[in-house]
Amino acid sequence: MEIANRIADLIGCRRTKGRLDGQTIGRRFEKAVCEFLREAFALLHHIRPGKWAYLTEQTSISRFVQYCHLAELTEALESDVRLATTFGHGYIITPDIVIARHPVSDEEINRCTDVVAADQPVARLSPLRMANLGSDRLLLHASVSCKWTIRSDRSQNTRTEALNLIRNRKGPTPHIAAVTAEPLPMRIASLALGTGDLDCVYHIALPELVSACKGIKRGEDQLEMLETMIEGNRLRDISDLPLDFAI
């Protein structure tokens, strides 16, 4: 609580009475992060051009090109008890926020020079080309899990979703990140440490979190863990996120 109060003071938060329920806070947090990504990523259009979609409201990954086969798999499992018993469920992930790219028209592909043509058997399978799959099929570019706070016993859910995104894709792996406002570094570590699932964890006020931990008595362990995650490229500030998504 002391760390959280110090962060609030450093970023100039206005104190209010009362407390919102967890679902309300979670939805507001998701919308705020999504709007930040939409506005910040637009500033990088010259670095990462394209037509992008920003979606919340628990969008199923089966609507995206790399994962559309999972909808058919889910239907097969639901109609056959034996298959469901053998293979289980949990293939369909619904990230908190997704960034998706619209496919590109032939006119856009040929804007600088002739690359593709409707009457030529060239590049007929790439999903980036709108002529191959249609304009309603989107490419999943990034998946973001939003955690206002982190319960150590729930962090495994985020890792499992990330691993499912990696294992079940047909095509390029999207960026996979988590954004949090959790004030306690030890709890952040339950999600940030380790590799192979999440690209990185991002904090909404990392400089303020570092400053808050430095000013607290008996906070040496928390500060040491925080520095370990930062120096180990497992924790970054949310201002780094749009640039990382532009890679």
Side-chain angles (χ1 to χ4, degrees), residues 15 42 73 84 130 138 140 184 191 193 212 245:
R15 306 297 176 87
L73 177 59
M130 186 185 300
L138 301 177
L140 185 59
L184 198 63
L191 186 59
L193 292 184
F245 279 178

Side-chain angles (χ1 to χ4, degrees), residues 22-34 37 58 93-97 143-162 176-184 187-192 198 200-205 209 235-236 238 241:
Q23 288 188 343
T24 300
I25 293 175
R27 287 193 297 269
R28 290 186 180 183
F29 188 47
E30 290 172 14
K31 290 180 179 179
V33 173
C34 187
L37 289 173
Q58 295 287 303
I93 309 302
T94 52
D96 296 325
I97 301 172
S143 170
V144 183
S145 175
C146 293
K147 300 293 183 184
W148 177 247
T149 56
I150 297 174
R151 279 175 47 184
S152 299
D153 61 331
R154 295 288 297 276
S155 60
Q156 190 61 36
N157 294 346
T158 302
R159 292 182 180 276
T160 300
E161 290 184 358
I176 306 172
V179 176
T180 186
E182 171 62 51
L184 198 63
R187 289 187 178 178
I188 299 174
S190 70
L191 186 59
L198 295 171
C200 194
V201 175
Y202 297 82
H203 198 276
I204 66 166
L209 175 58
L235 180 64
R236 296 176 182 172
I238 194 171
L241 186 52

Side-chain angles (χ1 to χ4, degrees), residues 96 104 128 150 166 234:
D96 296 325
V104 181
L128 182 62
I150 297 174
I166 295 170
R234 301 307 301 146

Side-chain angles (χ1 to χ4, degrees), residues 19 56 87 99 104 108 121 130 139 142 161 167 179 190:
R19 181 177 180 179
T56 56
F87 296 101
I99 301 177
V104 181
E108 179 64 20
M130 186 185 300
L139 293 155
E161 290 184 358
R167 292 170 178 168
V179 176
S190 70

Side-chain angles (χ1 to χ4, degrees), residues 62 67-84 88-92:
S62 62
Y67 303 96
C68 60
H69 61 284
L70 295 183
E72 300 175 358
L73 177 59
T74 299
E75 290 179 5
L77 293 175
E78 290 176 349
S79 61
D80 192 318
V81 176
R82 291 173 299 177
L83 285 177
H89 293 279
Y91 294 98
I92 300 297

